[in-house]
Short mmCIF file of all heavy atoms in Angstrom, two decimals:
data_model
loop_
_atom_site.label_atom_id
_atom_site.label_comp_id
_atom_site.label_asym_id
_atom_site.label_seq_id
_atom_site.Cartn_x
_atom_site.Cartn_y
_atom_site.Cartn_z
N THR A 421 61.32 50.50 29.52
CA THR A 421 59.96 49.96 29.39
C THR A 421 59.16 50.82 28.42
O THR A 421 59.25 52.05 28.44
CB THR A 421 59.25 49.99 30.78
OG1 THR A 421 60.04 49.19 31.69
CG2 THR A 421 57.85 49.42 30.68
N ALA A 422 58.43 50.16 27.53
CA ALA A 422 57.62 50.86 26.54
C ALA A 422 56.15 50.46 26.65
O ALA A 422 55.84 49.30 26.94
CB ALA A 422 58.12 50.56 25.13
N ASP A 423 55.27 51.43 26.44
CA ASP A 423 53.84 51.18 26.38
C ASP A 423 53.35 51.88 25.11
O ASP A 423 53.22 53.11 25.09
CB ASP A 423 53.14 51.73 27.62
CG ASP A 423 51.67 51.38 27.66
OD1 ASP A 423 51.10 50.94 26.66
OD2 ASP A 423 51.05 51.59 28.74
N MET A 424 53.11 51.11 24.03
CA MET A 424 52.83 51.68 22.73
C MET A 424 51.51 51.15 22.18
O MET A 424 51.31 49.95 22.12
CB MET A 424 53.99 51.38 21.78
CG MET A 424 55.33 51.92 22.22
SD MET A 424 56.64 51.71 21.02
CE MET A 424 56.82 49.94 20.93
N LEU A 425 50.66 52.08 21.72
CA LEU A 425 49.45 51.73 20.99
C LEU A 425 49.63 52.24 19.56
O LEU A 425 49.81 53.44 19.32
CB LEU A 425 48.22 52.42 21.60
CG LEU A 425 47.78 51.96 22.97
CD1 LEU A 425 46.58 52.80 23.41
CD2 LEU A 425 47.43 50.48 22.97
N VAL A 426 49.59 51.32 18.57
CA VAL A 426 49.86 51.64 17.18
C VAL A 426 48.82 50.98 16.31
O VAL A 426 48.49 49.81 16.48
CB VAL A 426 51.27 51.15 16.77
CG1 VAL A 426 51.56 51.45 15.33
CG2 VAL A 426 52.33 51.75 17.69
N ASP A 427 48.31 51.74 15.31
CA ASP A 427 47.38 51.16 14.36
C ASP A 427 48.15 50.31 13.36
O ASP A 427 47.94 49.11 13.24
CB ASP A 427 46.54 52.24 13.68
CG ASP A 427 45.46 51.63 12.80
OD1 ASP A 427 44.89 50.59 13.21
OD2 ASP A 427 45.20 52.18 11.72
N THR A 428 49.09 50.93 12.58
CA THR A 428 49.89 50.22 11.59
C THR A 428 51.36 50.38 11.90
O THR A 428 51.84 51.49 11.97
CB THR A 428 49.60 50.72 10.17
OG1 THR A 428 48.20 50.55 9.88
CG2 THR A 428 50.41 49.96 9.15
N LEU A 429 52.05 49.23 12.09
CA LEU A 429 53.47 49.22 12.29
C LEU A 429 54.11 48.64 11.03
O LEU A 429 53.81 47.50 10.65
CB LEU A 429 53.85 48.37 13.51
CG LEU A 429 55.33 48.13 13.78
CD1 LEU A 429 56.11 49.43 13.93
CD2 LEU A 429 55.50 47.26 14.99
N MET A 430 54.95 49.42 10.37
CA MET A 430 55.62 48.97 9.16
C MET A 430 57.11 48.86 9.48
O MET A 430 57.74 49.83 9.90
CB MET A 430 55.41 49.94 8.01
CG MET A 430 55.99 49.46 6.71
SD MET A 430 55.48 50.46 5.35
CE MET A 430 53.72 50.12 5.36
N LEU A 431 57.64 47.67 9.27
CA LEU A 431 59.05 47.38 9.64
C LEU A 431 59.75 46.90 8.41
O LEU A 431 59.60 45.75 7.98
CB LEU A 431 59.07 46.34 10.74
CG LEU A 431 60.36 46.08 11.50
CD1 LEU A 431 60.87 47.35 12.15
CD2 LEU A 431 60.14 44.98 12.53
N GLY A 432 60.54 47.79 7.77
CA GLY A 432 61.33 47.44 6.58
C GLY A 432 60.54 47.41 5.30
O GLY A 432 60.01 46.34 4.93
N ARG A 433 60.40 48.54 4.63
CA ARG A 433 59.72 48.60 3.31
C ARG A 433 60.70 49.22 2.33
O ARG A 433 61.20 50.31 2.54
CB ARG A 433 58.47 49.44 3.42
CG ARG A 433 57.74 49.51 2.05
CD ARG A 433 56.35 50.07 2.15
NE ARG A 433 56.31 51.47 2.55
CZ ARG A 433 55.29 52.28 2.35
NH1 ARG A 433 54.21 51.82 1.74
NH2 ARG A 433 55.34 53.51 2.76
N SER A 434 60.96 48.52 1.24
CA SER A 434 61.98 48.97 0.29
C SER A 434 61.39 49.94 -0.71
O SER A 434 60.19 50.22 -0.71
CB SER A 434 62.61 47.78 -0.44
OG SER A 434 61.62 47.12 -1.21
N GLN A 435 62.25 50.47 -1.56
CA GLN A 435 61.91 51.53 -2.52
C GLN A 435 60.92 51.09 -3.56
O GLN A 435 60.81 49.92 -3.90
CB GLN A 435 63.15 52.02 -3.24
CG GLN A 435 64.19 52.62 -2.31
CD GLN A 435 65.46 52.94 -3.04
OE1 GLN A 435 65.59 52.74 -4.21
NE2 GLN A 435 66.41 53.50 -2.32
N ASN A 436 60.20 52.09 -4.11
CA ASN A 436 59.38 51.88 -5.28
C ASN A 436 60.25 51.64 -6.49
O ASN A 436 61.34 52.16 -6.56
CB ASN A 436 58.47 53.09 -5.51
CG ASN A 436 57.47 53.29 -4.40
OD1 ASN A 436 57.01 52.36 -3.81
ND2 ASN A 436 57.17 54.55 -4.13
N GLY A 437 59.73 50.91 -7.45
CA GLY A 437 60.48 50.73 -8.68
C GLY A 437 61.43 49.54 -8.65
O GLY A 437 61.51 48.81 -7.67
N ASN A 438 62.11 49.33 -9.75
CA ASN A 438 63.03 48.20 -9.88
C ASN A 438 64.43 48.63 -9.47
O ASN A 438 65.05 49.47 -10.12
CB ASN A 438 63.07 47.70 -11.29
CG ASN A 438 61.75 47.09 -11.71
OD1 ASN A 438 61.10 46.45 -10.88
ND2 ASN A 438 61.33 47.30 -12.96
N ASN A 439 64.93 48.10 -8.38
CA ASN A 439 66.29 48.39 -7.91
C ASN A 439 66.71 47.31 -6.94
O ASN A 439 65.92 46.48 -6.53
CB ASN A 439 66.37 49.78 -7.31
CG ASN A 439 65.49 49.92 -6.09
OD1 ASN A 439 65.76 49.28 -5.11
ND2 ASN A 439 64.41 50.68 -6.21
N THR A 440 67.94 47.36 -6.52
CA THR A 440 68.44 46.36 -5.60
C THR A 440 68.70 46.89 -4.20
O THR A 440 69.29 46.22 -3.38
CB THR A 440 69.75 45.76 -6.17
OG1 THR A 440 70.70 46.82 -6.34
CG2 THR A 440 69.52 45.06 -7.47
N ALA A 441 68.31 48.14 -3.92
CA ALA A 441 68.54 48.72 -2.62
C ALA A 441 67.62 48.07 -1.58
O ALA A 441 66.46 47.84 -1.80
CB ALA A 441 68.31 50.21 -2.64
N ASN A 442 68.19 47.82 -0.42
CA ASN A 442 67.44 47.21 0.67
C ASN A 442 67.09 48.25 1.71
O ASN A 442 67.78 49.24 1.90
CB ASN A 442 68.27 46.13 1.35
CG ASN A 442 68.58 44.98 0.41
OD1 ASN A 442 67.73 44.60 -0.39
ND2 ASN A 442 69.79 44.47 0.47
N SER A 443 65.99 48.00 2.39
CA SER A 443 65.60 48.82 3.52
C SER A 443 65.41 47.90 4.69
O SER A 443 64.78 46.85 4.59
CB SER A 443 64.29 49.56 3.20
OG SER A 443 63.91 50.38 4.26
N ALA A 444 65.96 48.27 5.84
CA ALA A 444 65.89 47.43 7.03
C ALA A 444 65.25 48.17 8.17
O ALA A 444 65.57 49.36 8.41
CB ALA A 444 67.26 46.94 7.42
N GLY A 445 64.35 47.52 8.87
CA GLY A 445 63.75 48.08 10.07
C GLY A 445 64.10 47.21 11.26
O GLY A 445 63.97 45.99 11.19
N ASN A 446 64.52 47.84 12.34
CA ASN A 446 64.89 47.12 13.55
C ASN A 446 64.00 47.62 14.71
O ASN A 446 64.01 48.82 15.01
CB ASN A 446 66.35 47.36 13.93
CG ASN A 446 67.27 46.92 12.81
OD1 ASN A 446 67.24 45.76 12.39
ND2 ASN A 446 68.10 47.82 12.34
N LEU A 447 63.27 46.72 15.35
CA LEU A 447 62.47 47.04 16.49
C LEU A 447 62.99 46.17 17.62
O LEU A 447 62.87 44.94 17.59
CB LEU A 447 60.99 46.74 16.22
CG LEU A 447 60.03 46.96 17.39
CD1 LEU A 447 60.09 48.40 17.89
CD2 LEU A 447 58.62 46.55 17.00
N LEU A 448 63.59 46.80 18.63
CA LEU A 448 64.23 46.09 19.73
C LEU A 448 63.54 46.51 21.02
O LEU A 448 63.59 47.68 21.40
CB LEU A 448 65.72 46.43 19.78
CG LEU A 448 66.48 46.22 18.44
CD1 LEU A 448 67.79 46.94 18.44
CD2 LEU A 448 66.63 44.75 18.19
N LEU A 449 62.87 45.57 21.67
CA LEU A 449 62.06 45.88 22.85
C LEU A 449 62.63 45.22 24.08
O LEU A 449 63.16 44.12 24.03
CB LEU A 449 60.62 45.43 22.64
CG LEU A 449 59.89 46.04 21.45
CD1 LEU A 449 58.55 45.35 21.24
CD2 LEU A 449 59.72 47.53 21.66
N GLY A 450 62.46 45.92 25.19
CA GLY A 450 62.75 45.39 26.52
C GLY A 450 61.42 44.99 27.14
O GLY A 450 60.64 44.24 26.57
N ALA A 451 61.12 45.58 28.28
CA ALA A 451 59.86 45.30 28.97
C ALA A 451 58.75 46.20 28.44
O ALA A 451 58.99 47.20 27.80
CB ALA A 451 60.04 45.55 30.47
N GLY A 452 57.48 45.79 28.72
CA GLY A 452 56.37 46.67 28.35
C GLY A 452 55.34 46.03 27.49
O GLY A 452 55.25 44.81 27.37
N ASN A 453 54.54 46.89 26.82
CA ASN A 453 53.44 46.45 25.98
C ASN A 453 53.55 47.10 24.60
O ASN A 453 53.78 48.31 24.49
CB ASN A 453 52.10 46.86 26.58
CG ASN A 453 51.86 46.23 27.92
OD1 ASN A 453 51.94 45.00 28.03
ND2 ASN A 453 51.59 47.04 28.92
#
């Protein structure tokens, strides 16, 4: 169970500049807020 207060949640932001690299963010929640 999670109880989280967050102002800004960033999920998956890739690199600056021109490239093909990927960035992945995974947020997996059960019970809670």
Side-chain angles (χ1 to χ4, degrees):
T421 301
D423 185 348
M424 301 186 294
L425 292 179
V426 179
D427 187 37
T428 301
L429 174 58
M430 184 169 297
L431 192 59
R433 180 168 65 160
S434 65
Q435 297 174 1
N436 295 327
N438 294 323
N439 61 69
T440 58
N442 297 320
S443 182
N446 301 304
L447 177 60
L448 307 162
L449 300 172
N453 297 306

